[in-house]
């Protein structure tokens, strides 16, 4: 019988409290350090290989014939599909092959557009890529893979809806979508899914930061998007303290420092600006250092 599965069942049926579950899980199912390290090294190797493939195409584009340009991504897709089928999508190797296939889909679409000169806009690459990633995500059944179509879809939406001029419908729609996704992961997910929900803040915060940056340098008299980003980051900081989430606390503390740096960019004197920016990020780092032992202590007393 799978001990972890039994403990999960007891937790779900409320026969165990969460602290008791975590204690028993550590005692009865100790973490295999070798397996943990092997999985992380496999992940890192996959990222480096995929980055090497993309850099290879970028560096040798002019010297590759059309057969190689189209054939190499397709061969990579077939190899990843065969590897995922052979290893099984439930294994770490099969998941790595699946992630590779997701990236190579985008590479092939980009190469196809360049070879045949389709004249498509940038967002017309990310739209089909996002749609093709969805069935792959359903096959892999990996919550982390879902971040890929989420990020690609975010790029599609931004590049299609805005020509470097942020609008309120785009701002409300984008933020509403990611807040809804984050709430679903937080409220309906298990405790481990909360780790996943943090990564939803990457496009969410990145979007707000970029929109505030564009607004700040395109019009010196408009601050609405910057104020909105500051409000979101401050609210997230409060929630991070309430939920005892140090990662979310640190992320939004430095987000506030970055937004504050944009706020004072109009000050006269470059030295003064950099001193204020250094002070803001020092305060953010100090806030993280101050919160770290307190949040850990709160978790131990739950």
């Amino acid at each position: 019988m799978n001990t972890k599965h039994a403990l999960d069942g007891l937790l779900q049926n409320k026969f165990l409290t969460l602290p008791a579950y975590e204690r028993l899980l550590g005692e009865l199912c100790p973490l295999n350090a070798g397996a943990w390290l092997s999985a992380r090294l496999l992940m890192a190797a996959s990222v480096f290989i995929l980055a090497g493939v993309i850099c290879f195409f970028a560096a040798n584009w002019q010297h590759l014939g059309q057969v190689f340009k189209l054939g190499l991504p397709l061969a990579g897709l077939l190899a990843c599909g065969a590897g995922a089928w052979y290893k099984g999508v439930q294994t770490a190797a099969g998941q790595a092959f699946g992630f590779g296939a997701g990236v190579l889909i985008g590479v092939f679409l980009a190469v196809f557009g360049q070879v045949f000169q389709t004249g498509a806009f940038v967002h017309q690459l990310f739209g089909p890529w996002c749609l093709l990633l969805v069935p792959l995500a359903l096959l892999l059944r990996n919550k982390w893979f879902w971040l890929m179509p989420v990020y690609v879809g975010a790029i599609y939406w931004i590049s299609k809806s805005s020509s470097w001029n942020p609008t309120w419908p785009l701002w409300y729609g984008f933020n509403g979508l990611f807040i809804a996704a984050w709430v679903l992961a937080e409220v309906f997910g298990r405790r481990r899914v909360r780790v996943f929900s943090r990564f939803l803040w990457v496009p969410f915060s990145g979007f707000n930061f970029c929109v505030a940056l564009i607004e700040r340098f395109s019009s010196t008299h408009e601050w609405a998007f910057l104020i909105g980003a500051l409000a979101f980051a401050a609210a997230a900081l409060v929630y991070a303290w309430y939920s005892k989430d140090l990662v979310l606390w640190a992320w939004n503390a430095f987000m506030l420092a970055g937004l504050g740096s944009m706020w004072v960019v109009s000050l006269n004197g470059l030295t003064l600006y950099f001193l204020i920016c250094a002070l803001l990020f020092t305060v953010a780092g100090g806030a993280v250092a101050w919160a770290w032992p307190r949040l850990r202590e709160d978790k131990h007393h739950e």
Side-chain angles (χ1 to χ4, degrees):
M1 182 178 180
N2 189 319
T3 305
K4 184 180 183 304
H5 182 71
L7 291 176
D8 289 342
L10 292 172
L11 179 65
Q12 289 178 2
N13 290 289
K14 298 182 179 179
F15 291 113
L16 282 177
T17 63
L18 185 59
Y21 166 81
E22 293 176 343
R23 179 176 56 81
L24 288 172
L25 188 65
E27 294 176 358
L28 301 176
C29 305
L31 183 65
N32 187 327
W36 182 89
L37 181 61
S38 177
R40 269 63 186 176
L41 290 176
L42 177 62
M43 184 186 304
S46 302
V47 170
F48 284 123
I49 290 172
L50 292 170
V53 170
I54 296 172
C55 292
F56 172 81
F57 274 97
N60 299 282
W61 182 258
Q62 300 297 331
H63 307 289
L64 294 174
Q66 291 188 358
V67 174
F68 280 103
K69 288 177 180 178
L70 292 171
L72 290 177
L74 282 176
L77 275 172
L78 290 174
C80 287
W85 175 80
Y86 177 72
K87 290 292 186 179
V89 295
Q90 72 278 5
T91 64
Q95 295 285 313
F97 279 120
F99 274 83
V103 173
L104 288 173
I105 288 172
V107 174
F108 174 75
L109 291 175
V111 170
F112 183 88
Q114 287 292 324
V115 169
F116 292 101
Q117 291 296 312
T118 57
F121 293 104
V122 173
H123 67 265
Q124 291 174 306
L125 161 67
F126 294 100
W129 188 8
C130 179
L131 294 176
L132 291 171
L133 287 172
V134 171
L136 187 57
L138 293 173
L139 287 172
L140 290 178
R141 290 178 292 180
N142 185 312
K143 64 179 181 292
W144 298 106
F145 189 88
W146 279 104
L147 290 173
M148 190 181 296
V150 167
Y151 292 167
V152 173
I155 297 173
Y156 165 76
W157 193 355
I158 293 173
S159 60
K160 183 178 185 299
S161 304
S162 177
S163 56
W164 300 105
N165 290 313
T167 61
W168 283 110
L170 172 66
W171 192 82
Y172 281 123
F174 197 91
N175 284 322
L177 173 67
F178 279 100
I179 289 174
W182 175 71
V183 168
L184 286 174
E186 283 282 303
V187 175
F188 296 104
R190 297 180 183 178
R191 187 165 182 89
R192 289 174 183 257
V193 179
R194 288 194 171 186
V195 179
F196 164 76
S197 69
R198 295 169 182 164
F199 286 83
L200 290 171
W201 284 87
V202 176
F204 174 65
S205 299
F207 170 78
N208 281 288
F209 187 86
C210 290
V211 166
L213 186 67
I214 293 169
E215 179 193 50
R216 181 66 191 89
F217 288 103
S218 63
S219 174
T220 57
H221 303 289
E222 297 292 336
W223 298 91
F225 292 125
L226 179 57
I227 293 173
L230 284 166
F232 272 129
L237 205 65
V238 174
Y239 177 79
W241 182 264
Y242 170 78
S243 61
K244 304 177 180 62
D245 192 331
L246 181 65
V247 175
L248 196 60
W249 172 276
W251 179 275
N252 286 282
F254 285 106
M255 179 73 173
L256 283 171
L259 292 169
S261 298
M262 280 197 288
W263 191 283
V264 299
V265 73
S266 59
L267 290 175
N268 293 326
L270 191 62
T271 303
L272 177 62
Y273 170 70
F274 279 114
L275 286 174
I276 293 177
C277 289
L279 177 62
L280 289 172
F281 280 97
T282 301
V283 170
V288 175
W290 174 83
W292 184 73
R294 289 165 176 79
L295 293 181
R296 285 178 59 87
E297 182 180 356
D298 287 343
K299 283 191 174 183
H300 290 318
H301 284 87
E302 282 183 338

